Every structure is written in structure tokens, then in C-alpha cells.
Amino acid sequence: MAVQRKITALVWALFMMLSSILAYAKSGQYLYSFQTGSENWGSISAKSHIAYFGSDNGNLYAFDVDQVKVRWTYLTGAKVRSKPFIDNHRVYITSDDGFLYALNRWSGKLLWKASLNDGGHHRILPANHAPWEFDYTKSSPIADSRFVYVGSADGYFYAFSKRTGEMRWRFKTQGMIRATATLYQGKVFVASWDGHVYALNKHSGKLIWQYQTQGAIPSSPVIVDGILVVGSRDTYLYGLEPYNGQIIWQKALPGGSWVESSAVADIDDAYFYIGSSDAKLLFKMKTQTGDIVWQVATPGWSWGQPVVDENRVYIGSTGHDEPGWFITQRGFMAVEKETGETIWHYQPSIISGFVHGGVYASPAISADKVLIPDLDGYIHVYQQ
């Protein structure tokens, strides 16, 4: 009994010491890390101090940011590279095992799962040789009051009942769907590797309009101040009219780079932020014109979607060590929104493989902390 009391006292002392450190931490100060043990390509979602994220080990984690402990895990049959969608008491994810999962977000209990018919799909990951597929990401679910919507590597875009998981409709494209859709004014906007952006009736799946780019589209379409912003591997960034798909503006980003990243709106929607690929740049752009306000160099490929708070924009980058190629390094940055000045940064650890590490997925901000999904097998936590 005396030993148990000593252990309890020690644990409590360690917890109080960590709490004291967190209370007086400065912006950008490293706080702690949580180990998943496998590469983390999935973005993080957070609500009420609980962060939800998947990993290549097939697990979805519910992690208590304040108490620094796992609330629950759920094991799927393959890599989890989607961003969890939190919806009241449910959380939705997709897995490379070919299923969409609906889980109770408090307990991790399975409510239902539905087939996306792509469990046998073989990813052609980034490599130093053709084919240049660079198939590293995953379509993430979104939801409204009735349906859950998600794309699949089988080329279909699906709508499922939130309550039962029953498929309500599906729409066929001519390529994989790796981008995450967005909802706006009764429509759902979908981007496919066939190079098209599709506007569908969200209730029926009926095609309203389509717009063709000249490259695959892993970039997720995003509505910013009434404009549909989406990038393509044809090296252009597009601002489209959501009602009819007409071009409002079209911009070739510097360096002839693929546009892998997805836009994120500033708080007032007048501007948005987006990364790039070979250009190794983060941009602040005017929503209505697509004009560049500022651009700042990133260490490597800034493929992911940035995250913004009141004062800063956060983005990671991945790198490689291929001899004879241009220099591309691992990194993560917190940038001042008005000027583009780097406030703090860190360099992720190196890992084996052509992509030798870094941060692809979007971080999350929870309880004044920045949670960063690193390819080194850890979720690193810094002071906001």
C-alpha cells in the first residue's frame, strides 16, 4: 500500500510539473510528443481538447491534449490517411482497407462501416522514376445534416446516410478521387484525377456543371468568399464561379509547380493561403483576383493544406535526398499572416525512403497548442 501511494504521488508530481511547464511556455516552444510508431500522413481534427488522427499503422486515435493521454484507439485494416470529420457524437474516417467508418467519438465504438470499393487499390507512391503518380493522399469524409460524402480510388464519389451508412447515390468520374469535397448552397464540389472539377446536386448526385483542367487534381476545392478555389497538376490555380463553373481568375504559380496544396481562407475571407510543390513556396493571395500578396520560401514540398489562427499560418513540408535533384528539405513553419515573416520553425527528423521525412498533413490547434503530424512517427506538440 505504501509503495502504491508513492507511485501515485510521483505520477501526480510529474503531471503537475508538466502542467507548470505548459502554463509558462512561450510561442513555438516544444512541449511533448506522442508516438504512433508509423508515418503520419493524415491531418488532425480537434474538438473540446480531444484530437483525432489516423496513422499508417491503421489506427484512429482519440488523444486528450490537456491530460496527454489516449482516450481510445480504433484499428482499421490498413493505412488511415484521411482527416477525421467530427459531427456531434460521431467521427468519420476512411481507410486504405476500402471502408468508410462511423465511430462514436466518445468511446471509439463502431456504429457502421460502408464499402468504398477501393481496398485493393495499389498506391504508386512518390519515387524518383516514372510513373509520376505521387499517390500519397486520401479523400476525407465531410457531412451535412443527412449525408456523409466521400471520394474513392475507384473513381466514384459517394453519398451515404449518416444514420445507417446506406449508400444513397454515387457519381462516376474517370479517375481516382483523392481530394476532399466541399459543400456550398445545395451543391457538393468534387475534384478528380481525371482533371475535372464537378458540381453535383448534393441531394441526388446529379451533375450540374463540370470544368476541365489539364492535369490530375489532388488539391481539394475550397469555397472562399463565394469563389471556388482549386489547384491542379497542370500548374494552375483556379478561381471558379460556384453557380456555373465559369473562370473568375486563373493563375500560374511561380516555378511551373504542380499545385498539390489546398487553399485555406483567412478569418475575413478577403485572402487565402496555399502551398505549392517544386516551387517550395507558401502564398498569401487575394480571394477576388488571385493576386499574390506575399510569398515565402518553404524548405521543401508544401503539399498540405495550411492552417490559420488569428495571427499566424502554419504549414509543413516534405523532402528528399535524391542525388542530382534540386534541394528539398523537411520542415514546419509558423508564419506571421500580415508580413510572411517566419515566427518559429523546426526541422523534422529524417526517415528512410524517397520522401525522407517532414510534415505533409495539416496540424490542428487545440488548447493553445499546435499538434503536428510528422512522418517520423510522432505527433509533436508546440505552444501556439
Side-chain angles (χ1 to χ4, degrees), residues 298-318:
T298 60
W301 291 318
S302 50
W303 292 338
Q305 184 179 36
V307 167
V308 298
D309 64 17
E310 185 176 350
N311 300 307
R312 294 172 186 168
V313 54
Y314 305 87
I315 193 167
S317 61
T318 55

PDB file of all heavy atoms in Angstrom, residues 298-318:
ATOM      1  N   THR A 298       9.481  27.825 -48.476  1.00  0.00           N
ATOM      2  CA  THR A 298       9.395  26.700 -47.546  1.00  0.00           C
ATOM      3  C   THR A 298      10.601  25.794 -47.786  1.00  0.00           C
ATOM      4  O   THR A 298      11.172  25.803 -48.883  1.00  0.00           O
ATOM      5  CB  THR A 298       8.095  25.911 -47.744  1.00  0.00           C
ATOM      6  OG1 THR A 298       8.043  25.400 -49.086  1.00  0.00           O
ATOM      7  CG2 THR A 298       6.877  26.809 -47.519  1.00  0.00           C
ATOM      8  N   PRO A 299      11.005  25.000 -46.814  1.00  0.00           N
ATOM      9  CA  PRO A 299      12.189  24.163 -47.007  1.00  0.00           C
ATOM     10  C   PRO A 299      12.033  23.113 -48.114  1.00  0.00           C
ATOM     11  O   PRO A 299      12.996  22.739 -48.764  1.00  0.00           O
ATOM     12  CB  PRO A 299      12.385  23.490 -45.642  1.00  0.00           C
ATOM     13  CG  PRO A 299      11.675  24.372 -44.675  1.00  0.00           C
ATOM     14  CD  PRO A 299      10.508  24.923 -45.429  1.00  0.00           C
ATOM     15  N   GLY A 300      10.782  22.627 -48.305  1.00  0.00           N
ATOM     16  CA  GLY A 300      10.572  21.552 -49.266  1.00  0.00           C
ATOM     17  C   GLY A 300       9.195  21.626 -49.887  1.00  0.00           C
ATOM     18  O   GLY A 300       8.603  22.705 -50.019  1.00  0.00           O
ATOM     19  N   TRP A 301       8.678  20.470 -50.293  1.00  0.00           N
ATOM     20  CA  TRP A 301       7.362  20.387 -50.923  1.00  0.00           C
ATOM     21  C   TRP A 301       6.266  20.714 -49.912  1.00  0.00           C
ATOM     22  O   TRP A 301       6.031  19.956 -48.971  1.00  0.00           O
ATOM     23  CB  TRP A 301       7.132  18.980 -51.456  1.00  0.00           C
ATOM     24  CG  TRP A 301       7.985  18.595 -52.630  1.00  0.00           C
ATOM     25  CD1 TRP A 301       8.299  19.361 -53.709  1.00  0.00           C
ATOM     26  CD2 TRP A 301       8.612  17.323 -52.850  1.00  0.00           C
ATOM     27  NE1 TRP A 301       9.071  18.646 -54.596  1.00  0.00           N
ATOM     28  CE2 TRP A 301       9.283  17.386 -54.096  1.00  0.00           C
ATOM     29  CE3 TRP A 301       8.653  16.132 -52.125  1.00  0.00           C
ATOM     30  CZ2 TRP A 301       9.998  16.318 -54.622  1.00  0.00           C
ATOM     31  CZ3 TRP A 301       9.367  15.060 -52.637  1.00  0.00           C
ATOM     32  CH2 TRP A 301      10.028  15.156 -53.873  1.00  0.00           C
ATOM     33  N   SER A 302       5.566  21.812 -50.105  1.00  0.00           N
ATOM     34  CA  SER A 302       4.483  22.205 -49.192  1.00  0.00           C
ATOM     35  C   SER A 302       3.160  21.733 -49.787  1.00  0.00           C
ATOM     36  O   SER A 302       2.354  22.527 -50.274  1.00  0.00           O
ATOM     37  CB  SER A 302       4.492  23.718 -48.968  1.00  0.00           C
ATOM     38  OG  SER A 302       4.550  24.421 -50.199  1.00  0.00           O
ATOM     39  N   TRP A 303       2.941  20.418 -49.750  1.00  0.00           N
ATOM     40  CA  TRP A 303       1.787  19.786 -50.381  1.00  0.00           C
ATOM     41  C   TRP A 303       0.496  19.940 -49.589  1.00  0.00           C
ATOM     42  O   TRP A 303      -0.592  19.849 -50.145  1.00  0.00           O
ATOM     43  CB  TRP A 303       2.056  18.288 -50.562  1.00  0.00           C
ATOM     44  CG  TRP A 303       3.112  17.944 -51.562  1.00  0.00           C
ATOM     45  CD1 TRP A 303       3.555  18.708 -52.601  1.00  0.00           C
ATOM     46  CD2 TRP A 303       3.842  16.717 -51.617  1.00  0.00           C
ATOM     47  NE1 TRP A 303       4.521  18.029 -53.308  1.00  0.00           N
ATOM     48  CE2 TRP A 303       4.713  16.799 -52.716  1.00  0.00           C
ATOM     49  CE3 TRP A 303       3.851  15.555 -50.847  1.00  0.00           C
ATOM     50  CZ2 TRP A 303       5.587  15.773 -53.070  1.00  0.00           C
ATOM     51  CZ3 TRP A 303       4.715  14.526 -51.192  1.00  0.00           C
ATOM     52  CH2 TRP A 303       5.580  14.639 -52.299  1.00  0.00           C
ATOM     53  N   GLY A 304       0.599  20.100 -48.294  1.00  0.00           N
ATOM     54  CA  GLY A 304      -0.578  20.050 -47.441  1.00  0.00           C
ATOM     55  C   GLY A 304      -1.355  21.351 -47.416  1.00  0.00           C
ATOM     56  O   GLY A 304      -0.945  22.380 -47.969  1.00  0.00           O
ATOM     57  N   GLN A 305      -2.506  21.300 -46.763  1.00  0.00           N
ATOM     58  CA  GLN A 305      -3.334  22.496 -46.589  1.00  0.00           C
ATOM     59  C   GLN A 305      -2.874  23.246 -45.346  1.00  0.00           C
ATOM     60  O   GLN A 305      -2.785  22.664 -44.261  1.00  0.00           O
ATOM     61  CB  GLN A 305      -4.803  22.110 -46.441  1.00  0.00           C
ATOM     62  CG  GLN A 305      -5.747  23.307 -46.350  1.00  0.00           C
ATOM     63  CD  GLN A 305      -7.203  22.880 -46.237  1.00  0.00           C
ATOM     64  OE1 GLN A 305      -7.511  21.877 -45.594  1.00  0.00           O
ATOM     65  NE2 GLN A 305      -8.100  23.629 -46.853  1.00  0.00           N
ATOM     66  N   PRO A 306      -2.566  24.545 -45.466  1.00  0.00           N
ATOM     67  CA  PRO A 306      -2.170  25.308 -44.281  1.00  0.00           C
ATOM     68  C   PRO A 306      -3.305  25.392 -43.272  1.00  0.00           C
ATOM     69  O   PRO A 306      -4.471  25.130 -43.586  1.00  0.00           O
ATOM     70  CB  PRO A 306      -1.835  26.693 -44.851  1.00  0.00           C
ATOM     71  CG  PRO A 306      -1.707  26.519 -46.329  1.00  0.00           C
ATOM     72  CD  PRO A 306      -2.587  25.362 -46.687  1.00  0.00           C
ATOM     73  N   VAL A 307      -2.953  25.803 -42.067  1.00  0.00           N
ATOM     74  CA  VAL A 307      -3.922  26.076 -41.004  1.00  0.00           C
ATOM     75  C   VAL A 307      -3.656  27.491 -40.505  1.00  0.00           C
ATOM     76  O   VAL A 307      -2.500  27.906 -40.385  1.00  0.00           O
ATOM     77  CB  VAL A 307      -3.781  25.055 -39.858  1.00  0.00           C
ATOM     78  CG1 VAL A 307      -4.540  25.497 -38.616  1.00  0.00           C
ATOM     79  CG2 VAL A 307      -4.268  23.681 -40.314  1.00  0.00           C
ATOM     80  N   VAL A 308      -4.728  28.231 -40.223  1.00  0.00           N
ATOM     81  CA  VAL A 308      -4.566  29.607 -39.759  1.00  0.00           C
ATOM     82  C   VAL A 308      -5.208  29.793 -38.392  1.00  0.00           C
ATOM     83  O   VAL A 308      -6.168  29.105 -38.038  1.00  0.00           O
ATOM     84  CB  VAL A 308      -5.179  30.623 -40.758  1.00  0.00           C
ATOM     85  CG1 VAL A 308      -4.479  30.563 -42.094  1.00  0.00           C
ATOM     86  CG2 VAL A 308      -6.674  30.410 -40.917  1.00  0.00           C
ATOM     87  N   ASP A 309      -4.646  30.719 -37.621  1.00  0.00           N
ATOM     88  CA  ASP A 309      -5.309  31.217 -36.426  1.00  0.00           C
ATOM     89  C   ASP A 309      -5.406  32.737 -36.552  1.00  0.00           C
ATOM     90  O   ASP A 309      -5.296  33.278 -37.662  1.00  0.00           O
ATOM     91  CB  ASP A 309      -4.610  30.755 -35.144  1.00  0.00           C
ATOM     92  CG  ASP A 309      -3.181  31.286 -34.995  1.00  0.00           C
ATOM     93  OD1 ASP A 309      -2.818  32.259 -35.700  1.00  0.00           O
ATOM     94  OD2 ASP A 309      -2.422  30.741 -34.172  1.00  0.00           O
ATOM     95  N   GLU A 310      -5.592  33.432 -35.491  1.00  0.00           N
ATOM     96  CA  GLU A 310      -5.819  34.876 -35.565  1.00  0.00           C
ATOM     97  C   GLU A 310      -4.617  35.619 -36.151  1.00  0.00           C
ATOM     98  O   GLU A 310      -4.787  36.631 -36.856  1.00  0.00           O
ATOM     99  CB  GLU A 310      -6.153  35.420 -34.174  1.00  0.00           C
ATOM    100  CG  GLU A 310      -6.531  36.892 -34.168  1.00  0.00           C
ATOM    101  CD  GLU A 310      -6.953  37.377 -32.797  1.00  0.00           C
ATOM    102  OE1 GLU A 310      -7.143  36.535 -31.897  1.00  0.00           O
ATOM    103  OE2 GLU A 310      -7.097  38.599 -32.630  1.00  0.00           O
ATOM    104  N   ASN A 311      -3.416  35.131 -35.876  1.00  0.00           N
ATOM    105  CA  ASN A 311      -2.217  35.876 -36.259  1.00  0.00           C
ATOM    106  C   ASN A 311      -1.273  35.142 -37.202  1.00  0.00           C
ATOM    107  O   ASN A 311      -0.442  35.779 -37.840  1.00  0.00           O
ATOM    108  CB  ASN A 311      -1.426  36.269 -35.002  1.00  0.00           C
ATOM    109  CG  ASN A 311      -2.223  37.148 -34.064  1.00  0.00           C
ATOM    110  OD1 ASN A 311      -2.754  38.173 -34.469  1.00  0.00           O
ATOM    111  ND2 ASN A 311      -2.331  36.727 -32.808  1.00  0.00           N
ATOM    112  N   ARG A 312      -1.402  33.840 -37.301  1.00  0.00           N
ATOM    113  CA  ARG A 312      -0.379  33.071 -37.991  1.00  0.00           C
ATOM    114  C   ARG A 312      -0.956  32.033 -38.938  1.00  0.00           C
ATOM    115  O   ARG A 312      -2.130  31.657 -38.849  1.00  0.00           O
ATOM    116  CB  ARG A 312       0.535  32.383 -36.966  1.00  0.00           C
ATOM    117  CG  ARG A 312       1.331  33.397 -36.158  1.00  0.00           C
ATOM    118  CD  ARG A 312       2.083  32.770 -35.022  1.00  0.00           C
ATOM    119  NE  ARG A 312       2.690  33.837 -34.221  1.00  0.00           N
ATOM    120  CZ  ARG A 312       3.227  33.663 -33.030  1.00  0.00           C
ATOM    121  NH1 ARG A 312       3.230  32.462 -32.487  1.00  0.00           N
ATOM    122  NH2 ARG A 312       3.761  34.671 -32.373  1.00  0.00           N
ATOM    123  N   VAL A 313      -0.096  31.587 -39.844  1.00  0.00           N
ATOM    124  CA  VAL A 313      -0.433  30.489 -40.730  1.00  0.00           C
ATOM    125  C   VAL A 313       0.648  29.423 -40.545  1.00  0.00           C
ATOM    126  O   VAL A 313       1.840  29.745 -40.446  1.00  0.00           O
ATOM    127  CB  VAL A 313      -0.549  30.957 -42.204  1.00  0.00           C
ATOM    128  CG1 VAL A 313       0.694  31.685 -42.667  1.00  0.00           C
ATOM    129  CG2 VAL A 313      -0.870  29.793 -43.115  1.00  0.00           C
ATOM    130  N   TYR A 314       0.220  28.163 -40.497  1.00  0.00           N
ATOM    131  CA  TYR A 314       1.116  27.052 -40.211  1.00  0.00           C
ATOM    132  C   TYR A 314       1.124  26.106 -41.409  1.00  0.00           C
ATOM    133  O   TYR A 314       0.070  25.766 -41.960  1.00  0.00           O
ATOM    134  CB  TYR A 314       0.649  26.283 -38.970  1.00  0.00           C
ATOM    135  CG  TYR A 314       0.485  27.141 -37.736  1.00  0.00           C
ATOM    136  CD1 TYR A 314      -0.720  27.801 -37.484  1.00  0.00           C
ATOM    137  CD2 TYR A 314       1.521  27.297 -36.820  1.00  0.00           C
ATOM    138  CE1 TYR A 314      -0.877  28.594 -36.360  1.00  0.00           C
ATOM    139  CE2 TYR A 314       1.370  28.087 -35.682  1.00  0.00           C
ATOM    140  CZ  TYR A 314       0.163  28.733 -35.461  1.00  0.00           C
ATOM    141  OH  TYR A 314       0.009  29.519 -34.338  1.00  0.00           O
ATOM    142  N   ILE A 315       2.321  25.652 -41.805  1.00  0.00           N
ATOM    143  CA  ILE A 315       2.413  24.715 -42.917  1.00  0.00           C
ATOM    144  C   ILE A 315       3.688  23.882 -42.768  1.00  0.00           C
ATOM    145  O   ILE A 315       4.721  24.362 -42.273  1.00  0.00           O
ATOM    146  CB  ILE A 315       2.400  25.438 -44.280  1.00  0.00           C
ATOM    147  CG1 ILE A 315       2.169  24.430 -45.414  1.00  0.00           C
ATOM    148  CG2 ILE A 315       3.666  26.275 -44.483  1.00  0.00           C
ATOM    149  CD1 ILE A 315       1.838  25.064 -46.739  1.00  0.00           C
ATOM    150  N   GLY A 316       3.599  22.629 -43.180  1.00  0.00           N
ATOM    151  CA  GLY A 316       4.752  21.739 -43.180  1.00  0.00           C
ATOM    152  C   GLY A 316       5.269  21.517 -44.583  1.00  0.00           C
ATOM    153  O   GLY A 316       4.652  21.912 -45.574  1.00  0.00           O
ATOM    154  N   SER A 317       6.418  20.858 -44.673  1.00  0.00           N
ATOM    155  CA  SER A 317       6.963  20.480 -45.973  1.00  0.00           C
ATOM    156  C   SER A 317       7.697  19.155 -45.845  1.00  0.00           C
ATOM    157  O   SER A 317       8.198  18.793 -44.782  1.00  0.00           O
ATOM    158  CB  SER A 317       7.896  21.561 -46.527  1.00  0.00           C
ATOM    159  OG  SER A 317       9.006  21.783 -45.682  1.00  0.00           O
ATOM    160  N   THR A 318       7.717  18.437 -46.969  1.00  0.00           N
ATOM    161  CA  THR A 318       8.429  17.161 -47.047  1.00  0.00           C
ATOM    162  C   THR A 318       9.649  17.324 -47.946  1.00  0.00           C
ATOM    163  O   THR A 318       9.742  18.263 -48.737  1.00  0.00           O
ATOM    164  CB  THR A 318       7.519  16.060 -47.611  1.00  0.00           C
ATOM    165  OG1 THR A 318       7.001  16.481 -48.879  1.00  0.00           O
ATOM    166  CG2 THR A 318       6.355  15.790 -46.679  1.00  0.00           C
TER     167      THR A 318
END
